[in-house]
Amino acid sequence: MNKKTKLLVVDDNEGVREFMRFHYDDLGYDVSVVSSGSQALTMIKEGAFKIMLLDRRMPEMNGMELLQKIREFNQELTVIMMSADPFDKEVEQKTKTLNIFHYVNKPPDINELDKLVNRAAII
């Protein structure tokens, strides 16, 4: 994994954001965190992120709505969606349509999430 791998964490929960920031910074990623979809949209338009850890359920703009907007101009961003909501048929269809790399249940198993992030960094 390269120090230049840029990772964006989008989650409305401050505890999740800060944990992910410190954890992935310690693993050598260039980590940015935001608390809303609109902030994420601005960041992605301004910078070249490789990976995004995206919360599905957020106020204002949920993760699926944000990703729909991102896919209008960026097909390359590797997205790992996180949610406490179950993985159902509707979500399965949207993950295919929006090219989501992986869907992870919250709270995630950090070792499994690390494996996914590391895999995403090399594709």
Side-chain angles (χ1 to χ4, degrees):
M1 195 277 312
N2 182 329
K3 177 65 177 169
K4 297 188 191 302
T5 300
K6 293 181 71 171
L7 172 70
L8 178 61
V9 177
V10 185
D11 199 302
D12 60 318
N13 182 303
E14 183 178 6
V16 171
R17 287 192 314 271
E18 291 309 304
F19 172 80
M20 296 293 181
R21 175 199 315 264
F22 291 115
H23 179 73
Y24 286 106
D25 184 63
D26 284 347
L27 293 179
Y29 288 87
D30 180 2
V31 183
S32 298
V33 298
V34 294
S35 62
S36 73
S38 59
Q39 291 172 324
L41 200 54
T42 299
M43 293 278 295
I44 291 165
K45 286 180 178 178
E46 293 175 355
F49 289 92
K50 172 80 174 149
I51 305 164
M52 178 169 62
L53 297 179
L54 176 60
D55 186 17
R56 180 174 168 206
R57 188 184 294 181
M58 297 183 292
E60 175 206 330
M61 181 188 317
N62 70 43
M64 293 292 188
E65 293 167 336
L66 169 62
L67 191 51
Q68 285 175 322
K69 290 177 186 274
I70 291 168
R71 291 300 187 220
E72 291 174 8
F73 65 91
N74 183 324
Q75 294 294 319
E76 307 304 314
L77 182 64
T78 303
V79 177
I80 298 171
M81 184 161 285
M82 303 181 299
S83 181
D85 295 336
F87 188 81
D88 58 23
K89 289 287 183 190
E90 178 186 347
V91 172
E92 181 180 13
Q93 183 57 42
K94 286 198 176 214
T95 61
K96 292 176 185 174
T97 303
L98 296 172
N99 191 26
I100 295 172
F101 179 69
H102 210 283
Y103 189 93
V104 176
N105 289 318
K106 275 179 145 182
D109 175 315
I110 196 63
N111 294 320
E112 291 301 314
L113 187 57
D114 289 350
K115 288 177 189 174
L116 288 169
V117 169
N118 288 330
R119 212 168 87 213
I122 60 172
I123 60 171

Short mmCIF file of all heavy atoms in Angstrom, two decimals, residues 2-3 11 16-17 53 55 58 73 78-79 81 100 103 121:
data_model
loop_
_atom_site.label_atom_id
_atom_site.label_comp_id
_atom_site.label_asym_id
_atom_site.label_seq_id
_atom_site.Cartn_x
_atom_site.Cartn_y
_atom_site.Cartn_z
N ASN A 2 0.50 2.19 -0.79
CA ASN A 2 1.28 3.40 -1.00
C ASN A 2 0.75 4.52 -0.09
O ASN A 2 -0.44 4.71 0.04
CB ASN A 2 1.11 3.76 -2.48
CG ASN A 2 1.90 4.98 -2.88
OD1 ASN A 2 2.11 5.89 -2.10
ND2 ASN A 2 2.31 4.99 -4.12
N LYS A 3 1.65 5.28 0.51
CA LYS A 3 1.28 6.40 1.38
C LYS A 3 0.36 7.38 0.67
O LYS A 3 -0.43 8.07 1.28
CB LYS A 3 2.55 7.10 1.89
CG LYS A 3 2.31 8.31 2.74
CD LYS A 3 1.61 7.99 4.04
CE LYS A 3 1.45 9.23 4.88
NZ LYS A 3 0.58 9.05 6.00
N ASP A 11 -19.22 9.79 7.07
CA ASP A 11 -20.10 9.22 8.10
C ASP A 11 -20.57 10.36 9.00
O ASP A 11 -19.77 11.22 9.37
CB ASP A 11 -19.35 8.16 8.91
CG ASP A 11 -20.28 7.22 9.65
OD1 ASP A 11 -21.10 7.70 10.47
OD2 ASP A 11 -20.19 6.00 9.42
N VAL A 16 -17.18 7.29 14.66
CA VAL A 16 -16.77 6.45 13.53
C VAL A 16 -15.73 7.18 12.70
O VAL A 16 -14.69 6.61 12.34
CB VAL A 16 -17.98 6.05 12.67
CG1 VAL A 16 -17.54 5.37 11.38
CG2 VAL A 16 -18.93 5.14 13.45
N ARG A 17 -16.00 8.45 12.39
CA ARG A 17 -15.05 9.23 11.57
C ARG A 17 -13.68 9.29 12.21
O ARG A 17 -12.67 9.06 11.55
CB ARG A 17 -15.55 10.66 11.35
CG ARG A 17 -16.70 10.79 10.40
CD ARG A 17 -16.95 12.25 10.02
NE ARG A 17 -16.97 13.19 11.11
CZ ARG A 17 -18.04 13.53 11.83
NH1 ARG A 17 -19.21 12.96 11.58
NH2 ARG A 17 -17.96 14.42 12.79
N LEU A 53 -15.03 5.18 2.15
CA LEU A 53 -15.83 4.43 3.10
C LEU A 53 -17.08 5.27 3.33
O LEU A 53 -16.99 6.38 3.84
CB LEU A 53 -15.07 4.21 4.41
CG LEU A 53 -13.80 3.39 4.32
CD1 LEU A 53 -13.14 3.28 5.69
CD2 LEU A 53 -14.07 2.00 3.76
N ASP A 55 -21.05 5.77 4.67
CA ASP A 55 -22.20 5.39 5.48
C ASP A 55 -23.44 5.46 4.61
O ASP A 55 -23.64 6.43 3.88
CB ASP A 55 -22.31 6.34 6.67
CG ASP A 55 -23.40 5.95 7.65
OD1 ASP A 55 -23.87 4.80 7.62
OD2 ASP A 55 -23.77 6.81 8.47
N MET A 58 -27.50 8.64 6.33
CA MET A 58 -27.08 9.94 6.86
C MET A 58 -28.21 10.93 6.62
O MET A 58 -28.98 10.76 5.68
CB MET A 58 -25.82 10.45 6.13
CG MET A 58 -24.60 9.60 6.32
SD MET A 58 -23.14 10.31 5.49
CE MET A 58 -23.61 10.14 3.76
N PHE A 73 -20.09 11.76 -12.58
CA PHE A 73 -18.82 12.31 -13.06
C PHE A 73 -17.60 11.48 -12.67
O PHE A 73 -16.48 11.77 -13.13
CB PHE A 73 -18.64 13.76 -12.57
CG PHE A 73 -18.49 13.90 -11.08
CD1 PHE A 73 -17.24 13.86 -10.48
CD2 PHE A 73 -19.61 14.06 -10.26
CE1 PHE A 73 -17.10 13.98 -9.11
CE2 PHE A 73 -19.48 14.19 -8.89
CZ PHE A 73 -18.22 14.15 -8.31
N THR A 78 -13.44 3.80 -5.77
CA THR A 78 -13.78 2.51 -5.18
C THR A 78 -14.54 2.77 -3.88
O THR A 78 -14.02 3.43 -2.98
CB THR A 78 -12.52 1.68 -4.91
OG1 THR A 78 -11.79 1.53 -6.13
CG2 THR A 78 -12.88 0.31 -4.36
N VAL A 79 -15.76 2.26 -3.80
CA VAL A 79 -16.64 2.56 -2.68
C VAL A 79 -16.93 1.31 -1.85
O VAL A 79 -17.35 0.29 -2.39
CB VAL A 79 -17.97 3.17 -3.17
CG1 VAL A 79 -18.92 3.43 -2.01
CG2 VAL A 79 -17.71 4.44 -3.96
N MET A 81 -19.42 0.55 1.09
CA MET A 81 -20.56 1.11 1.80
C MET A 81 -20.73 0.39 3.12
O MET A 81 -20.61 -0.84 3.19
CB MET A 81 -21.83 1.02 0.97
CG MET A 81 -23.00 1.70 1.65
SD MET A 81 -24.35 2.09 0.53
CE MET A 81 -23.67 3.50 -0.34
N ILE A 100 -20.66 -0.53 -6.49
CA ILE A 100 -20.13 -0.53 -5.12
C ILE A 100 -19.21 -1.73 -4.97
O ILE A 100 -19.60 -2.86 -5.28
CB ILE A 100 -21.27 -0.55 -4.08
CG1 ILE A 100 -22.09 0.73 -4.19
CG2 ILE A 100 -20.71 -0.74 -2.67
CD1 ILE A 100 -23.34 0.75 -3.35
N TYR A 103 -20.18 -4.13 0.38
CA TYR A 103 -21.15 -3.65 1.36
C TYR A 103 -20.82 -4.31 2.69
O TYR A 103 -20.73 -5.54 2.76
CB TYR A 103 -22.57 -4.02 0.90
CG TYR A 103 -23.69 -3.41 1.70
CD1 TYR A 103 -24.26 -2.21 1.30
CD2 TYR A 103 -24.20 -4.03 2.83
CE1 TYR A 103 -25.31 -1.64 2.01
CE2 TYR A 103 -25.24 -3.47 3.56
CZ TYR A 103 -25.79 -2.28 3.13
OH TYR A 103 -26.82 -1.72 3.83
N ALA A 121 -7.13 -0.67 -2.50
CA ALA A 121 -5.99 0.22 -2.77
C ALA A 121 -5.14 -0.26 -3.95
O ALA A 121 -4.47 0.54 -4.59
CB ALA A 121 -5.12 0.35 -1.53
#
